[in-house]
Amino acid sequence: MRMSKLFVQTLREYPSDAEVVSHKMLARAGYIRKLTSGVYNYLPLMWRVLKKIENIVREEMDNAGAQELLMPFVQPKELWEESGRWDAYGKELMRLKDRHDRIMCLGPTHEEIITAVARDGLKSYKQMPVNLYQIQSKFRDEVRPRYGLLRGREFIMKDAYSFDTSEEGLDKEYNNMARAYKKIFERCGLDTKMVQSDSGAIGGSVSHEFMVITDTDAGENDVFYCDCGYSANSNHAVSKLPEVVVDGKKYFSETKIVDTPNTHSIDELCEFLSIPSTIILKTLVYIVDKKPVLALIRADKTVEETKLMNSVGGMDIRIASSAEIAELMAEHGFDAVAGFIGPCGMTGIPIVADETVRDMKNFVVGINQTDKHQVGANLSDLGLDEIKYADIRLVEAGDFCPECGKSLKVTKGIEVGNIFKLGTKYSKPMNAVYLDKNGKSHPYVMGCYGIGISRTAAAAVEAHYDEHGIKWPIAIAPYHVVIVPVNIQDELQMKVAEKMYEDLKNAGVEVVIDDRDERAGVKFKDADLIGFPYRVTVGKTINEGLVEYKIRETGDVEKVTPEVAVEHLVEIVKNIK
RNA sequence: CGGGAUGUGGCGCAGCUUGGUAGCGCACCUCGCUUGGGACGAGGGGGUCGCACGUUCAAAUCGUGUCAUCCCGACCA
């Protein structure tokens, strides 16, 4: 490719709306342009990168025995009603009508469609197991798109779905996919961790996420991990706790109600009573699937919303507003504001207590009266009808590993892939069945496996950049090398550059020649910004028969003959895998 | 959804307070000059100032509404 013809426009400055590294870099280097919120044009350089990632994914999926197909982007409402997700999915599902007023949606994922495809063509145990995948654009109408390609509304994803006759078969395929994923991300030049995670709206039991570990702002997930190998997303992580005081008898000799004016926060309450937060029972009001739920937890800990939601089998959770709290209080004959809520007398609504609550004795608790708390209280004395215990606690760095007991560490990660065991979550309601040896029908045992293609590209930038621009891993770089003749008026420089260009092209190296009539500085800046893994500069030293060979990643420079440079590059490209 | 901010050429911004011919830098086109880390000079093209309504002799500027975009929050009572 000739730089003079390449459709790319680099910018002198970063676009003002870009926040994270990958967004800034990709926009400035001319890879992407925003069309509308969360929706981007993939310009030629970007598309080359995306195709490289797609091809790696394709090869490894095919190697792992999966088969590629392509399903529609626009989908009918009916299938989503069959699975029950038409109502459950929420506003992220972009719904629309066609000219006949038929209701459709844009595919945010394809479980419904693939299950229907399988139902249609997968009738016998003899055809199984089978794993089908596609690489498709998806659309999720995110509340708040941000971070460029990392959290867009439209994005490219590889999604695979496996069909088995048994749990054992699913386990096997699950591990097969985990291995394939590991290979895929390695080939893309990405260091990933496979972490346990919540299975969310997709449903199912077991799931893992593949996280690119990054120190940039773009890491959206907290990953807890341990040297022993344990690692989990914060929405799923569990831990053992360090020993702390959970008995308040040292502070309170008897059970009584005390005035605690203006103690709206735990900090204020601790200060007012001169006690540690570990002997306060914190009560929070959540709205799960539009209904109130009370969460009880030791006050030095934080509720993990996803865990709480799962504990009551919900699909949607948020903290209650002060108006909702007031309403709830009124319904139960109380009149208290946040800060003084307690479980006592809250009949008829689910109460979930974190495991930390079990051991608490003689604690402090709200009693649904503003500016008052009960001290020296015990759960058995509170006269509660039914409490459900569950682990609804957010793990913190320093908690102990649930497997080996050592201290957990925390890091930020960008999720680039996930694998789920779905079981019969979709096949059952959608009546997608096969016949076994005895002619009996059973629902498929399914798994699903996703990789964010466009997100992987962005994550790669987050993981590989410097102040000058992108440093693509060679396997996913848009081109392998750029040849920069410093002065295109110089006949010898141009002659050598053109010769190398032809030789490299003929040898299968993806090469760009920067034949623009620009000053050297401009060409170097662009080369760094765009992130070609290698640069060969043909300048004055060509008079001694030498060119400059530079590695973007390390910055290492070497003077070599054009022939040696070509040899190096051909060799490097041959070894990409 | 709550809070904050911003919409002026492809990108980055000024102008708005105090209404009066729409500006600057980068990018783009032409010529000259320059050629190892985003040169320089001269000339040039490109904008219904987000949109609508209103006030006014006159609106980018003032008012109302609306749309869009971005940031923060939506997890501790």
Side-chain angles (χ1 to χ4, degrees):
Chain A
M1 189 68 215
R2 294 184 174 276
M3 199 66 178
S4 59
K5 300 286 180 217
L6 184 64
F7 187 80
V8 63
Q9 167 89 303
T10 57
L11 305 175
R12 191 67 80 92
E13 294 163 276
Y14 292 112
S16 62
D17 60 1
E19 191 70 7
V20 297
V21 168
S22 60
H23 187 192
K24 283 183 181 169
M25 297 273 173
L26 291 172
R28 182 170 165 200
Y31 284 80
I32 57 171
R33 287 287 179 267
K34 185 171 67 188
L35 181 61
T36 182
S37 179
V39 178
Y40 292 83
N41 283 305
Y42 305 124
L43 301 178
L45 285 173
M46 190 75 235
W47 186 233
R48 288 183 70 94
V49 172
L50 292 172
K51 281 192 292 187
K52 294 233 170 142
I53 297 173
E54 281 186 19
N55 283 332
I56 290 172
V57 168
R58 218 170 245 128
E59 280 179 32
E60 294 304 331
M61 289 301 291
D62 290 348
N63 267 339
Q67 301 174 56
E68 186 172 3
L69 50 57
L70 186 61
M71 292 179 277
F73 180 52
V74 176
Q75 311 177 356
K77 175 189 183 192
E78 287 73 16
L79 282 177
W80 285 75
E81 285 179 328
E82 278 191 48
S83 70
R85 284 208 294 182
W86 184 258
D87 295 322
Y89 209 98
K91 290 191 177 166
E92 285 185 13
L93 183 62
M94 177 94 166
R95 298 156 213 246
L96 44 121
K97 277 184 188 169
D98 71 9
R99 65 195 301 165
H100 305 296
D101 277 350
R102 288 199 32 156
I103 304 175
M104 322 288 279
C105 63
L106 301 183
T109 173
H110 282 68
E111 280 83 9
E112 281 75 7
I113 314 305
I114 197 74
T115 304
V117 167
R119 184 168 62 182
D120 213 37
L122 187 59
K123 311 273 193 189
S124 161
Y125 73 97
K126 292 178 198 162
Q127 296 169 281
M128 296 160 81
V130 64
N131 186 333
L132 302 170
Y133 77 96
Q134 65 169 348
I135 296 175
Q136 239 294 25
S137 285
K138 310 276 189 192
F139 195 94
R140 291 183 191 167
D141 199 1
E142 296 279 349
V143 197
R144 188 179 159 205
R146 57 182 133 179
Y147 300 157
L149 257 36
L150 280 173
R151 200 171 174 75
R153 293 194 293 171
E154 186 177 294
F155 54 97
I156 301 173
M157 188 167 164
K158 185 280 307 181
D159 47 327
Y161 306 89
S162 68
F163 300 86
D164 272 281
T165 57
S166 67
E167 287 291 335
E168 297 70 51
L170 171 58
D171 291 349
K172 209 173 138 192
E173 186 58 16
Y174 191 84
N175 293 332
N176 182 32
M177 284 292 110
R179 276 194 302 276
Y181 273 35
K182 190 159 176 280
K183 221 179 281 175
I184 286 167
F185 293 122
E186 262 171 30
R187 283 184 59 185
C188 289
L190 290 173
D191 188 15
T192 54
K193 253 188 204 315
M194 175 169 147
V195 310
Q196 294 177 16
S197 115
D198 178 65
S199 38
I202 310 272
S205 47
V206 176
S207 79
H208 286 85
E209 290 168 344
F210 285 76
M211 298 277 192
V212 172
I213 301 307
T214 167
D215 55 358
T216 64
D217 299 339
E220 296 189 290
N221 298 279
D222 283 326
V223 174
F224 292 93
Y225 66 100
C226 176
D227 298 334
C228 77
Y230 175 81
S231 59
N233 190 320
S234 58
N235 66 22
H236 193 80
V238 296
S239 64
K240 295 176 194 161
L241 289 177
E243 294 255 327
V244 293
V245 178
V246 293
D247 189 339
K249 70 168 180 281
K250 171 172 160 199
Y251 301 94
F252 315 113
S253 50
E254 54 176 338
T255 301
K256 61 179 178 188
I257 292 166
V258 299
D259 286 330
T260 53
N262 294 316
T263 54
H264 293 272
S265 70
I266 292 295
D267 285 348
E268 285 163 348
L269 186 58
C270 287
E271 195 173 328
F272 185 84
L273 294 173
S274 303
I275 53 167
S277 58
T278 50
I279 57 166
I280 299 172
L281 178 73
K282 185 164 63 174
T283 307
L284 297 108
V285 183
Y286 281 89
I287 305 292
V288 178
D289 297 345
K290 300 184 179 143
K291 286 184 293 236
V293 171
L294 240 50
L296 310 184
I297 191 166
R298 207 173 77 196
D300 61 315
K301 293 295 161 190
T302 300
V303 168
E304 211 304 310
E305 293 188 354
T306 306
K307 288 163 121 185
L308 172 62
M309 179 176 80
N310 290 341
S311 74
V312 294
M315 296 294 289
D316 177 64
I317 187 167
R318 60 182 173 80
I319 195 100
S321 67
S322 45
E324 284 164 331
I325 291 178
E327 194 182 321
L328 184 70
M329 286 293 108
E331 276 169 25
H332 289 80
F334 297 124
D335 179 22
V337 298
F340 306 94
I341 310 299
C344 232
M346 300 301 288
T347 47
I349 70 171
I351 300 177
V352 181
D354 183 66
E355 299 290 351
T356 50
V357 172
R358 271 191 209 279
D359 301 329
M360 294 180 69
K361 292 189 186 99
N362 302 307
F363 50 78
V364 178
V365 64
I367 49 168
N368 301 321
Q369 291 182 45
T370 298
D371 292 344
K372 289 192 196 311
H373 279 87
Q374 182 172 359
V375 302
N378 285 289
L379 263 189
S380 50
D381 307 333
L382 292 178
L384 308 174
D385 19 309
E386 200 183 320
I387 294 186
K388 175 178 180 167
Y389 282 95
D391 179 345
I392 57 170
R393 177 169 40 90
L394 179 66
V395 168
E396 288 159 22
D399 285 0
F400 301 133
C401 173
E403 287 178 8
C404 76
K406 276 192 272 182
S407 267
L408 287 173
K409 286 173 248 184
V410 65
T411 181
K412 293 275 181 190
I414 302 170
E415 180 190 349
V416 288
N418 54 43
I419 54 181
F420 291 98
K421 290 186 187 174
L422 294 174
T424 57
K425 177 170 167 104
Y426 294 89
S427 50
K428 228 180 218 165
M430 294 183 68
N431 197 29
V433 298
Y434 67 95
L435 295 179
D436 70 11
K437 272 182 203 162
N438 306 312
K440 267 189 68 180
S441 67
H442 304 276
Y444 312 125
V445 181
M446 296 172 55
C448 83
Y449 318 92
I451 289 179
I453 303 287
S454 40
R455 176 175 258 243
T456 297
V461 177
E462 295 287 340
H464 301 283
Y465 73 96
D466 64 14
E467 70 271 29
H468 301 296
I470 303 170
K471 305 198 285 191
W472 289 113
I474 192 156
I476 61 172
Y479 290 91
H480 300 135
V481 54
V482 60
I483 298 173
V484 180
V486 167
N487 183 352
I488 67 165
Q489 321 297 356
D490 185 305
E491 271 183 41
L492 180 58
Q493 286 182 23
M494 272 317 272
K495 207 180 115 194
V496 172
E498 289 283 0
K499 169 94 169 41
M500 290 181 72
Y501 176 60
E502 288 302 323
D503 290 350
L504 286 167
K505 235 177 15 171
N506 292 336
V509 176
E510 295 170 15
V511 52
V512 170
I513 180 168
D514 196 342
D515 58 339
R516 294 177 300 170
D517 189 8
E518 289 286 354
R519 298 165 64 84
V522 172
K523 298 187 188 187
F524 293 157
K525 289 285 184 193
D526 276 343
D528 288 348
L529 185 60
I530 289 169
F532 300 101
Y534 295 91
R535 186 182 87 195
V536 177
T537 306
V538 186
K540 283 181 191 135
T541 56
I542 197 60
N543 298 319
E544 296 120 52
L546 296 175
V547 297
E548 179 188 284
Y549 176 89
K550 184 169 185 184
I551 303 169
R552 177 75 178 89
E553 171 69 29
T554 59
D556 290 350
V557 176
E558 218 184 324
K559 301 270 187 201
V560 296
T561 61
E563 293 74 23
V564 168
V566 169
E567 247 171 66
H568 271 3
L569 289 162
V570 170
E571 191 59 23
I572 286 164
V573 169
K574 216 187 332 176
N575 289 326
I576 299 173
K577 249 306 158 213

